[in-house]
Amino acid sequence: ILNVEQSPQSLHVQEGDSTNFTCSFPSSNFYALHWYRWETAKSPEALFVMTLNGDEKKKGRISATLNTKEGYSYLYIKGSQPEDSATYLCALILTGGGNKLTFGTGTQLKVEL
Amino acid sequence: KAGVTQTPRYLIKTRGQQVTLSCSPISGHRSVSWYQQTPGQGLQFLFEYFSETQRNKGNFPGRFSGRQFSNSRSEMNVSTLELGDSALYLCASSPGQPYNEQFFGPGTRLTVL
């Protein structure tokens, strides 16, 4: 069984705070790591696809890093806003796994005014 | 560019019945994956179709099946429904490579009574 773990499970922050989450995964047979944001009543939205060790990606106030050797990725949100409230999911693709995403259980972020 | 569409959006069935769900991917995308989301299990991979062929399969019983048509539209069928099949079923479309973003549809909410 492939375990993709995310921590923390949930997080409450104040508007303007910066925050980060962790995604841990087995490092063997790694191919790609996807990050998604899933807002209530909407579809999961792709944030990043990361494939190379040391990858850093950024989209606005959100950025992510990847360490494939030790099997983890961090997602950072700078200056959190209420509209950032969502569940953040990471998902692993293994070599030879086609497009099969194995999801973590997610980090639920609530940004309060 | 039109997004991923799924029909129907909501469905209520009784135990023992069968159901067919439909997914229309983004134009030009050849890969369609299906996922089941339940509160206890999170997002679980069902199967992936690429160019009308099943490329990957998750750990679900044979009651769950799918197919893909030449226009890349995909259907998922669940026979002999059980109460535990109540879930949100999401499909995701992509051009087909693991490093491509996957775009999710709005989902079909299935309730089995």
Side-chain angles (χ1 to χ4, degrees), chain B residues 6-19:
Chain B
Q6 289 187 246
T7 57
R9 293 293 310 279
Y10 301 92
L11 207 46
I12 299 175
K13 292 284 188 180
T14 56
R15 278 181 297 175
Q17 287 187 307
Q18 75 163 26
V19 67

Side-chain angles (χ1 to χ4, degrees), chain A residues 45-104:
Chain A
E45 172 198 356
L47 289 173
F48 305 112
V49 180
M50 309 177 80
T51 57
L52 298 175
N53 184 45
D55 248 356
E56 290 188 26
K57 298 223 172 175
K58 188 175 179 183
K59 187 184 284 190
R61 294 179 292 99
I62 304 177
S63 60
T65 61
L66 177 67
N67 184 322
T68 61
K69 294 186 188 306
E70 296 182 37
Y72 64 84
S73 176
Y74 294 138
L75 187 80
Y76 302 91
I77 301 180
K78 186 177 176 182
S80 301
Q81 300 296 310
E83 57 265 31
D84 296 328
S85 297
T87 297
Y88 291 82
L89 294 159
C90 66
L92 182 67
I93 292 187
L94 298 177
T95 303
N99 268 351
K100 176 182 176 179
L101 291 167
T102 299
F103 281 90

Side-chain angles (χ1 to χ4, degrees), chain A residues 4-40:
Chain A
V4 178
E5 298 181 353
Q6 291 188 247
S7 62
Q9 192 171 15
S10 64
L11 199 51
H12 287 241
V13 301
Q14 297 296 311
E15 184 181 10
D17 287 350
S18 293
T19 188
N20 64 85
F21 327 130
T22 303
C23 173
S24 302
F25 50 86
S27 54
S28 56
N29 299 317
F30 173 89
Y31 191 97
L33 188 84
H34 292 233
W35 279 100
Y36 287 88
R37 173 170 58 201
W38 196 357
E39 295 178 66
T40 304

